[in-house]
Amino acid sequence: MTTALKTIKSLAPLLDRVLVQRIKADAKTAGGIFLPDSAVKELNEAKVLAVGPGMMNKEGKRIAMGVSPGDKVLIPQYGGSPIKVGEEEYSLFRDHDILAKINE
């Protein structure tokens, strides 16, 4: 199930949720050959666009998020909540579902 929005800026993640957009794989080989869409594999890398404020622990203190907007992360192949805005696709994941942060 996907949710349709007019603009991605109208979406603010709550609690420990992270809004990401998958990074598209190159459709061109190193030798300059263009690949058809069916041959291009979807990457597990994504860019973090927005994060929620974090969950509350039992004492009522907010648990800091592991990622911040602009980070490049590794996400699971499946899962998350898909969101479609126009032709662009985004996903919402929980902070603990993010596999790793990619430091460049």
Side-chain angles (χ1 to χ4, degrees):
M1 180 174 141
T2 59
T3 304
L5 298 170
K6 294 188 192 266
T7 174
I8 197 63
K9 293 184 181 187
S10 64
L11 186 69
L14 298 176
L15 300 174
D16 66 336
R17 289 178 178 80
V18 179
L19 177 66
V20 300
Q21 183 175 28
R22 283 188 190 268
I23 297 173
K24 293 182 172 72
D26 288 335
K28 185 176 165 184
T29 65
I33 298 172
F34 287 96
L35 300 171
D37 289 338
S38 60
V40 178
K41 185 180 177 189
E42 193 173 71
L43 295 177
N44 288 3
E45 294 178 15
K47 182 178 180 184
V48 175
L49 302 176
V51 297
M55 291 291 287
M56 302 291 260
N57 65 14
K58 291 180 183 178
E59 291 80 38
K61 294 183 181 179
R62 197 157 301 273
I63 300 169
M65 297 291 282
V67 295
S68 56
D71 286 348
K72 194 173 177 184
V73 295
L74 188 64
I75 57 174
Q77 183 70 30
Y78 302 103
S81 299
I83 300 163
K84 189 165 184 157
V85 179
E87 294 299 314
E88 295 293 322
E89 293 185 14
Y90 304 90
S91 296
L92 270 172
F93 285 93
R94 290 192 174 269
D95 187 42
H96 65 268
D97 288 337
I98 305 274
L99 302 175
K101 186 171 15 174
I102 300 170
N103 297 321
E104 295 183 293

